[in-house]
Amino acid sequence: MSLEPRHFSLRARLVILVALLFAAFALFFLAFFPARMDAQARHWVLSRATGIAQLLASATEPALDFGDATNGQHHLETLASTPEAIYGLLLREDGSPLAAWHPERAPARLMDIPEGARILGQEVLARVRIQTRGGQQGTLLVGFSLAELRQEGQHTLRLAASISALIFAFGVLAAFGVGTLLVRPLGRVTQVALRISEGELGAQSELDLTRRDETGTLAAALSRMLRRLYEQKALIKSQSEASSEGILTVSESGQVLAHNQRLLRMWQLPPERLEGRPLEEVLRALAPALKEPETLRRLADFQREQPAGAPLEFSLLDGRTLTAYRAPIQSHEGTRFGWGLYFQDITERLAQERVRARNLELEQRVAERTQELAERLSELHSTQEQLIVADRRTSVGTLAAGVAHEINNPLAYVTANIQFVLQEMPELRTTLMPGCPPDMSEGMEAIWQEVANALAEAREGCSRVQHIVQSLKSFSRGDEDRREPLHVQGPLDAAISMAQNEIRHRARLVRDYREVPPVEGNEVRLAQVFLNLLINAAHAIPAGAADRHEIRVTTRLGEDGAVRVDITDTGSGMSPEVRGRLFTPFFTTKPVGIGTGLGLSVCQGIITAMGGRIEVQSELGQGSTFSVVLPPTSATVKHAQAQRARSQPGSRRGQVLVVDDDPFVGAALRRTLGREHDVSVAFGAREALGRVLQGAAFDIILCDLMMPDMTGMDFFTELQRLYPAQAESVIFFTGGAFTDTTRAFLERHQERVLSKPVDADHLRERILQRLERGATASRLPSASLD
């Protein structure tokens, strides 16, 4: 085992440190003091040798000057009185000796030694040059022994070693004394800390807090630390007891360190302390309460990783449910020294969650039901608004149908009378003009022409009124989704006629009709769509600037083969935001009371139901184009009237009965047809039926459909029952149909129906067609008649 300083006690380390310091000082003294003393001794020896040599040179100067060897020998022998002197030589200038003392001891080649004192081995040699007053030169050589100096050096070294040993010994003793003095209070603090760590909490009172040195500071710091630890322990204990979880703290070795009371109550354990018990013993006590004890084993298997965020769930035999998880107890450095096992009773929480889930489910159902009711309420509001609009439209249609019917009757006889007058005027002119005086002929010709022009204008006005009435009749029909092949120009012209008053003050109307195939659609609904788009186009243009604006209506065949009806205006246009919400129900840019926001959404629904679509192109300030795109149909369009048959001259004269409750209509038709046929008038269906019952037979019966007392339908039904052959001669003319029954009747007998006002030429052609078929009425009552 390696010896490291941290393995020694503080006292031992302090003793070793002080001993090493004194040992270093002793070694320094032992190395420095003898060397210093030896250097001083050498310097003293050299200085003494130089002094003795210089004195002896002064004494032997006369002997060298006079060559007196005896005198020189005598002075050299005085060296015997110096114990360390070993030889002496007085040499002439040429190096020969004048006098000598123990020359045998002198080394060879003395003349090579420089002047002064030098240590050579175990000797000190001093050489001094002598210059006599008589001009003689010579050299004095004196040798001294260093044996005594060496003995003094050895003595000095032994003395230094003794002093160093004494210094080291004193240092060791001082280290033990100081270590004992300093470490003993620290040792007492350490012993108190060890006793506290072993659980002897009362040892804290033995800390000496009165000291003012570092030991006292350490004791005070330890006391404060212990007080804070106790406070934190009490806080942790309080929090542990206040926790809703049962807590069990286990050491790394598997011993129970701590627990709270909730753990005991949760597991219904006796109120005894579990600290110090093995975890296995505690688990055996908990296992009987579990349905699956193995789950508890998995929790206590510390070598096995527990999934993060996935606590284990325990089902107890008493019906409760617990969850548990574990967490390591470790220091800031990550050193683990135990585990915390945390248990929680979630029985009540599970019940609350089930109640909450049920409440959420019910709330969700309520929200869905509320949303559904809100949507249905919105749909009801939307439907109500549409019904209100539809009711208004129906009321307007009914009113329009009534107005059309009331206009048609006077319009019928006005038109018939105008046509009669125009027809009779050429013959009347031919009859009257020859008898006119020549001076009045030119004026009468002008009058005749003016009258003809006036009647022609009146006929044109009646034609325009007839066209308007026909448009009103189209909009007054039922709104059933009955579809048939038709040309889009028909409902388009009807819509233009209805919207003409809105358009003429705002823009020029340009028709650009190109040949397109028929489409499968509903004439009334198509006219409704076109009317709505035309009115919207007119409202996008300010009034009073008709010369600067234009509404162009175009029919064309698209690249995809679809029939396209484009209605383009030069109005204000629309922004992308408005264009995106254009077909949203109840969205309108018109002022309150002007628009409902349902027109375009209804139009889109109508066109979509017909298999088409409505496209919009618009830029703000650049006008708009609405395109109605419909798929074409290959079916043949049924004409409302048959092709006109040209009458042949000399056709036979027929018996015609006119049945109408308006006498003016009857009179007008009698005048119109009176030249070609025998015309009689009955002012009601019952009167006409009475004539037939009396035996009258007619080639043609022109009967009004809507009459008081007995309608044309009832009259026709009676004829079919009593005189089927006579019923085949009936032709109806009507100003409009008000009921579903009437409309259904007209649908079944389209070939017998003429619309008021009846064109005279057309009426004559229909009568001639009937006569040419040889349709004759039976003149005798039916045999089955009661």
Side-chain angles (χ1 to χ4, degrees):
M1 184 178 70
S2 62
L3 295 178
E4 298 182 8
R6 61 189 180 89
H7 293 157
F8 295 98
S9 65
L10 179 62
R11 180 178 180 182
R13 280 181 283 177
L14 180 62
V15 169
I16 292 173
L17 176 63
V18 174
L20 289 177
L21 289 176
F22 274 91
F25 179 74
L27 291 175
F28 173 77
F29 179 80
L30 182 61
F32 176 76
F33 182 74
R36 181 65 178 171
M37 295 299 294
D38 184 67
Q40 289 180 354
R42 286 173 179 271
H43 178 73
W44 178 78
V45 168
L46 291 176
S47 298
R48 186 166 182 272
T50 302
I52 293 174
Q54 288 178 349
L55 288 175
L56 187 58
S58 297
T60 59
E61 178 183 351
L64 181 62
D65 189 23
F66 296 105
D68 186 359
T70 304
N71 187 24
Q73 184 68 32
H74 174 74
H75 284 289
L76 290 178
E77 289 179 354
T78 58
L79 291 174
S81 60
T82 302
E84 59 270 19
I86 55 177
Y87 61 88
L89 298 174
L90 181 61
L91 304 178
R92 296 184 182 87
E93 184 176 3
D94 57 3
S96 58
L98 176 64
W101 184 67
H102 298 298
E104 68 281 1
R105 299 178 182 175
R109 304 181 62 84
L110 294 177
M111 296 304 295
D112 297 336
I113 299 173
E115 186 177 1
R118 297 284 185 277
I119 296 177
L120 299 175
Q122 296 297 323
E123 299 176 356
V124 176
L125 176 63
R127 178 179 177 178
V128 180
R129 293 182 63 83
I130 301 173
Q131 181 73 34
T132 66
R133 295 184 180 88
Q136 296 294 328
Q137 293 183 0
T139 301
L140 177 65
L141 296 174
V142 181
F144 298 92
S145 174
L146 291 177
E148 186 177 355
L149 180 63
R150 297 296 182 191
Q151 291 177 359
E152 290 294 333
Q154 291 293 330
H155 177 71
T156 301
L157 181 60
R158 286 193 296 273
L159 180 61
S162 300
I163 295 174
S164 297
L166 290 175
I167 292 174
F168 179 73
F170 178 76
V172 171
L173 292 176
F176 272 100
V178 172
T180 302
L181 182 64
L182 295 179
V183 175
R184 181 175 296 173
L186 183 61
R188 286 197 294 269
V189 174
T190 303
Q191 290 298 324
V192 171
L194 290 174
R195 290 164 59 189
I196 292 174
S197 66
E198 295 294 333
E200 189 178 347
L201 303 181
Q204 180 182 358
S205 59
E206 298 182 12
L207 291 174
D208 187 3
L209 304 179
T210 60
R211 298 178 63 93
R212 294 294 180 266
D213 55 3
E214 287 78 3
T215 304
T217 303
L218 179 61
L222 179 60
S223 177
R224 289 194 300 271
M225 181 184 68
L226 291 173
R227 185 168 60 254
R228 291 182 180 179
L229 286 176
Y230 295 154
E231 291 174 356
Q232 291 180 1
K233 181 179 180 181
L235 178 61
I236 292 173
K237 183 68 175 177
S238 174
Q239 292 177 344
S240 173
E241 294 298 335
S243 174
S244 62
E245 297 178 328
I247 303 174
L248 182 66
T249 306
V250 183
S251 68
E252 189 72 13
S253 61
Q255 299 293 321
V256 176
L257 298 177
H259 65 85
N260 60 357
Q261 293 300 316
R262 185 172 293 274
L263 177 74
L264 301 179
R265 293 193 298 270
M266 186 178 296
W267 289 96
Q268 299 178 355
L269 296 175
E272 57 185 9
R273 302 189 63 83
L274 303 178
E275 288 85 345
R277 294 189 179 184
L279 179 61
E280 290 291 332
E281 179 182 343
V282 176
L283 295 182
R284 284 195 298 271
L286 301 181
L290 294 174
K291 293 182 179 179
E292 297 180 1
E294 186 61 29
T295 309
L296 193 62
R297 295 287 181 183
R298 291 200 302 270
L299 177 67
D301 187 0
F302 299 137
Q303 303 301 323
R304 180 179 180 181
E305 290 292 334
Q306 181 180 358
L312 297 176
E313 189 170 304
F314 303 96
S315 296
L316 274 65
L317 296 176
D318 59 4
R320 291 181 297 140
T321 302
L322 306 181
T323 59
Y325 66 95
R326 67 171 183 257
I329 303 174
Q330 55 191 17
S331 63
H332 293 291
E333 294 78 13
T335 302
R336 189 178 66 194
F337 53 86
W339 292 87
L341 306 183
Y342 303 91
F343 301 86
Q344 187 172 16
D345 191 341
I346 62 171
T347 306
E348 183 177 354
R349 190 183 75 188
L350 290 178
Q352 292 177 353
E353 289 179 355
R354 286 193 292 268
V355 173
R356 191 179 301 112
R358 181 60 178 170
N359 291 338
L360 289 176
E361 181 182 357
L362 293 176
E363 290 176 0
Q364 181 68 23
R365 291 183 180 179
V366 171
E368 292 176 355
R369 184 60 177 166
T370 303
Q371 179 67 23
E372 182 181 353
L373 291 175
E375 292 176 356
R376 291 187 177 181
L377 182 61
S378 177
E379 293 176 359
L380 288 175
H381 283 309
S382 175
T383 304
Q384 182 183 18
E385 292 291 339
Q386 295 182 18
L387 288 175
I388 292 173
V389 173
D391 182 66
R392 291 175 181 172
R393 190 179 296 118
T394 302
S395 300
V396 172
T398 303
L399 178 62
V403 171
H405 183 268
E406 294 302 320
I407 292 176
N408 271 331
N409 281 333
L411 184 62
Y413 58 76
V414 169
T415 302
N417 288 335
I418 291 174
Q419 290 177 347
F420 173 75
V421 173
L422 286 172
Q423 183 179 355
E424 296 296 328
M425 275 189 65
E427 184 177 350
L428 183 61
R429 178 176 175 274
T430 304
T431 303
L432 296 178
M433 283 301 293
C436 183
D439 57 341
M440 298 179 60
S441 177
E442 185 176 352
M444 289 299 294
E445 188 68 33
I447 292 173
W448 278 105
Q449 187 61 42
E450 189 66 27
V451 172
N453 291 339
L455 290 173
E457 291 174 2
R459 183 176 63 180
E460 179 62 26
C462 289
S463 177
R464 292 180 61 181
V465 173
Q466 178 185 1
H467 193 65
I468 294 173
V469 170
Q470 186 65 32
S471 299
L472 287 173
K473 287 169 61 180
S474 297
F475 280 91
S476 67
R477 296 177 188 171
D479 199 26
E480 70 277 359
D481 191 15
R482 182 178 58 82
R483 302 180 190 176
E484 59 183 359
L486 56 88
H487 290 290
V488 295
Q489 289 85 349
L492 192 55
D493 286 337
I496 291 174
S497 297
M498 297 294 293
Q500 189 63 48
N501 189 55
E502 289 285 343
I503 296 174
R504 67 163 55 94
H505 302 294
R506 300 172 183 267
R508 301 184 309 274
L509 180 67
V510 179
R511 289 181 174 90
D512 183 11
Y513 292 172
R514 305 172 192 175
E515 186 176 354
V516 293
V519 298
E520 186 81 18
N522 184 291
E523 183 177 5
V524 175
R525 295 194 176 188
L526 272 181
Q528 177 185 348
V529 172
F530 294 146
L531 177 60
N532 189 285
L533 297 180
L534 285 168
I535 291 177
N536 284 347
H539 287 175
I541 300 173
D547 56 333
R548 299 197 303 270
H549 290 282
E550 176 184 284
I551 295 178
R552 179 176 292 271
V553 181
T554 305
T555 62
R556 60 187 177 90
L557 194 63
E559 295 180 356
D560 56 353
V563 176
R564 301 181 67 94
V565 178
D566 300 333
I567 299 177
T568 304
D569 66 76
T570 57
S572 58
M574 294 175 287
S575 64
E577 293 78 11
V578 173
R579 196 165 61 246
R581 301 181 60 190
L582 201 57
F583 296 101
T584 303
F586 305 107
F587 174 76
T588 179
T589 58
K590 298 178 182 179
V592 177
I594 302 298
T596 63
L598 289 172
L600 287 177
S601 64
V602 172
C603 290
Q604 187 185 44
I606 292 173
I607 299 303
T608 302
M610 295 182 186
R613 64 185 184 276
I614 298 179
E615 298 178 354
V616 183
Q617 295 180 355
S618 181
E619 294 292 337
L620 195 62
Q622 301 296 323
S624 304
T625 297
F626 284 78
S627 300
V628 177
V629 184
L630 293 169
T633 179
S634 59
T636 303
V637 178
K638 296 180 180 179
H639 295 284
Q641 69 270 8
Q643 295 294 332
R644 296 186 177 182
R646 298 297 179 185
S647 61
Q648 299 295 329
S651 298
R652 77 179 181 87
R653 194 175 182 86
Q655 296 294 322
V656 179
L657 174 63
V658 178
V659 184
D660 198 302
D661 60 324
D662 193 329
F664 294 105
V665 175
L669 290 177
R670 183 164 48 189
R671 281 193 293 268
T672 301
L673 301 175
R675 287 180 176 273
E676 296 91 356
H677 307 283
D678 295 329
V679 182
S680 58
V681 180
F683 299 107
R686 291 195 181 276
E687 180 183 346
L689 184 60
R691 293 186 185 186
V692 174
L693 291 176
Q694 293 173 4
F698 302 95
D699 296 311
I700 299 295
I701 299 178
L702 299 177
C703 182
D704 188 14
L705 190 65
M706 303 303 295
M707 293 179 291
D709 191 19
M710 187 177 191
T711 65
M713 295 182 293
D714 298 334
F715 172 69
F716 182 72
T717 303
E718 286 298 315
L719 284 182
Q720 283 185 321
R721 186 173 66 85
L722 300 174
Y723 304 103
Q726 185 66 77
E728 291 298 321
S729 63
V730 176
I731 297 176
F732 295 102
F733 52 92
T734 179
F738 296 93
T739 64
D740 294 337
T741 304
T742 306
R743 285 190 285 270
F745 181 83
L746 294 179
E747 288 290 334
R748 292 196 302 270
H749 302 283
Q750 292 184 18
E751 74 282 354
R752 298 178 179 273
V753 180
L754 296 175
S755 297
K756 290 181 180 180
V758 181
D759 182 72
D761 293 335
H762 185 205
L763 180 59
R764 291 189 183 96
E765 291 173 2
R766 293 292 295 271
I767 292 173
L768 289 176
Q769 290 175 9
R770 287 287 182 177
L771 293 175
E772 289 174 358
R773 292 176 189 172
T776 58
S778 176
R779 297 180 179 272
L780 297 175
S782 174
S784 62
L785 189 64
D786 294 335

